[in-house]
Amino acid sequence: MMILKHKFVDKIPDILEEKVLYVSMEYETVIHKCACGCGNEIVTPLSPAEWSITFNGETISLEPSIGSWSLDCKSHYWITNNRVKWSYKYSVEAIEKVKKSDLEAKKDHFEKTNSKPKELENKRKERESLWKHIKSWGNNFFSSK
Ligand SMILES: [Zn+2]
């Protein structure tokens, strides 16, 4: 099991060390060298439509998985609590399918291969409904005056 280190950085360094996750909040990006050792730099922008990180105070998890089908190595792995968990390698057909598919299909793909985004989605909905509840309570409160 490969274990990565993480570094919070202001700027992405010119030369990246192997097995280090560089997290830049300023650039809302995580960058690391491909875990297979091929030397390619994997850039994972942080946004609701792209990747999210979870930092528990000690380790970092990235969601969804890292799928470098555009690279020669075709690596596909999860980074969970700084650990690299390898998945199957993308076959040529699967890569073509992903390339041709639209965004919706990609989302389906990630949902099938990774249940975490759904859990997050549920959490988000929970929070939203709580917020709505608070807001409507607030409105009632103020309008009753
Ligand atoms: Zn690689």
Side-chain angles (χ1 to χ4, degrees):
M1 173 86 63
M2 186 188 276
I3 299 174
L4 307 172
K5 286 186 284 182
H6 62 267
K7 280 185 185 170
F8 290 100
V9 292
D10 293 332
K11 285 186 179 132
I12 305 295
D14 292 334
I15 298 162
L16 302 181
E17 281 177 53
E18 299 271 351
K19 301 182 187 177
V20 178
L21 287 167
Y22 295 90
V23 183
S24 170
M25 290 302 176
E26 198 174 328
Y27 291 97
E28 292 157 356
T29 295
V30 177
I31 186 164
H32 71 282
K33 278 201 166 184
C34 183
C36 85
C38 66
N40 281 300
E41 293 173 1
I42 313 289
V43 181
T44 46
L46 303 175
S47 84
E50 289 166 298
W51 279 270
S52 309
I53 61 163
T54 309
F55 177 53
N56 68 2
E58 284 183 2
T59 57
I60 280 173
S61 304
L62 263 180
E63 300 284 350
S65 60
I66 313 290
S68 308
W69 53 78
S70 60
L71 302 175
D72 289 342
C73 66
K74 311 285 186 281
S75 289
H76 183 207
Y77 50 90
W78 281 267
I79 295 173
T80 309
N81 296 329
N82 283 27
R83 288 161 193 269
V84 176
K85 285 184 193 166
W86 289 94
S87 180
Y88 61 89
K89 292 203 171 192
Y90 285 105
S91 67
V92 175
E93 299 90 85
I95 294 157
E96 284 310 308
K97 253 186 220 166
V98 170
K99 273 186 191 165
K100 279 174 195 162
S101 61
D102 58 16
L103 197 71
E104 210 42 48
K106 264 185 204 168
K107 241 175 79 189
D108 283 345
H109 174 78
F110 281 127
E111 275 171 8
K112 269 178 211 144
T113 53
N114 192 336
S115 62
K116 279 281 167 61
K118 221 166 206 177
E119 284 171 30
L120 289 176
E121 181 68 17
N122 287 343
K123 256 186 207 164
R124 202 179 303 140
K125 273 181 193 155
E126 244 172 59
R127 230 178 289 143
E128 264 171 29
S129 69
L130 184 69
W131 178 235
K132 266 178 207 151
H133 184 75
I134 290 166
K135 258 172 51 184
S136 68
W137 178 83
N139 287 341
N140 291 341
F141 180 77
F142 290 119
S143 62
S144 70
K145 276 200 161 180

